[in-house]
Amino acid sequence: MAIRDRSLGSALIDAVELSDSERVEGLMRRCPRLSVEQGGTLRPAEIADAALVVVDEGIVVLRKVDEDRGRGVVICHAGTAALLLPPDVDEVFQALSDVRLTAIPVEIRDELLEIPAAARVLLEGVAATLRQKLRSLAMMASLHHVDRVRAKLTELARDYGRVGPDGIRLDFPITHDLLGEMIGSSRETVTRSLDELQREGFVIRHGRSYLLHVPPQELRDAR
């Protein structure tokens, strides 16, 4: 999890030998920077030359879009310092908050991979994102939609929640449609599941954000 605790650029520079740090810093400065406002999307054509994409700040989801049905599937979510592959032709990045990204072109990725310590950091970043995707797939194996919603909200709280005196806050908007795309359920099913979880006292909804009554220690134990 350390890869997500600070910027990827800082992690790369700190990991390499002093003799390589200026080279790594110079390579990262050559990478294009992009900004996406909350609710906005980033399509493949806008980062066509990227081999890897770094989330410098904010939270994004990778959505596979079905234009005919007007629905999508959220493949993964990613926060600060996460490392992603660029979206495929039928995918988009959607910003859940204001987001800053760094697009790493193929030639710079290849130069970074020539530095063993930098290559290790990149591998750890890709592995962390892959683990998150696998967790999302595992959640969909549950036959009970309430359990899917509970597990997804718990995961989001663990990764991005803010601890407060009354619980764990998710301070970014999550619509019922988006939550349904995250767990493979319909909007109506998500609404019924959230109603049940609110009756249990597990979650309180504030507009499009949520407050979870989960002890922080329980989230740490679930990693």
Side-chain angles (χ1 to χ4, degrees):
M1 297 299 297
I3 190 71
R4 297 179 184 273
D5 293 338
R6 53 184 176 167
S7 73
L8 186 73
S10 296
L12 283 167
I13 293 167
D14 290 348
V16 301
E17 297 290 337
L18 186 60
S19 57
D20 288 320
S21 61
E22 287 188 10
R23 180 184 175 193
V24 170
E25 191 171 3
L27 288 171
M28 294 303 292
R29 279 202 301 264
R30 288 166 49 196
C31 297
R33 262 63 173 189
L34 303 142
S35 296
V36 186
E37 294 184 351
Q38 184 182 76
T41 59
L42 190 66
R43 297 183 178 276
E46 298 174 81
I47 46 174
D49 296 331
L52 296 168
V53 179
V54 181
V55 182
D56 293 316
E57 184 179 349
I59 305 170
V60 301
V61 294
L62 177 64
R63 294 180 68 235
K64 188 177 182 67
V65 181
D66 187 335
E67 301 287 359
D68 294 332
R69 297 176 58 196
R71 285 183 55 83
V73 175
V74 172
I75 299 170
C76 72
H77 53 76
T80 301
L83 190 62
L84 299 163
L85 295 176
D88 208 343
V89 290
D90 57 350
E91 299 171 349
V92 298
F93 286 142
Q94 180 173 328
L96 298 191
S97 64
D98 290 343
V99 172
R100 292 188 299 106
L101 305 170
T102 295
I104 302 180
V106 173
E107 63 274 14
I108 293 180
R109 178 206 61 188
D110 291 346
E111 287 193 55
L112 289 169
L113 291 175
E114 292 174 357
I115 305 169
R120 183 173 64 251
V121 172
L122 293 180
L123 177 61
E124 289 172 355
V126 172
T129 300
L130 177 58
R131 284 193 296 270
Q132 196 279 310
K133 289 182 178 182
L134 293 175
R135 285 199 305 268
S136 294
L137 286 173
M139 287 177 195
M140 294 186 185
S142 173
L143 297 178
H144 301 288
H145 294 278
V146 173
D147 292 338
R148 292 189 196 180
V149 174
R150 188 199 313 273
K152 179 54 68 175
L153 290 176
T154 299
E155 181 187 35
L156 293 171
R158 183 182 65 237
D159 290 345
Y160 314 118
R162 297 183 182 275
V163 178
D166 49 355
I168 313 294
R169 291 187 175 276
L170 297 175
D171 290 331
F172 51 91
I174 310 173
T175 65
H176 288 196
D177 284 321
L178 181 62
L179 192 53
E181 291 183 1
M182 287 180 170
I183 65 170
S185 298
S186 68
R187 183 188 188 282
E188 294 75 17
T189 300
V190 167
T191 299
R192 289 194 297 270
S193 298
L194 284 170
D195 287 344
E196 183 171 334
L197 290 173
Q198 288 190 87
R199 287 194 295 271
E200 290 179 12
F202 173 78
V203 64
I204 297 175
R205 188 179 184 195
H206 295 284
R208 291 187 295 170
S209 60
Y210 297 87
L211 173 68
L212 274 64
H213 292 296
V214 181
Q217 182 59 46
E218 185 175 321
L219 294 182
R220 287 192 291 269
D221 292 343
R223 287 185 185 276

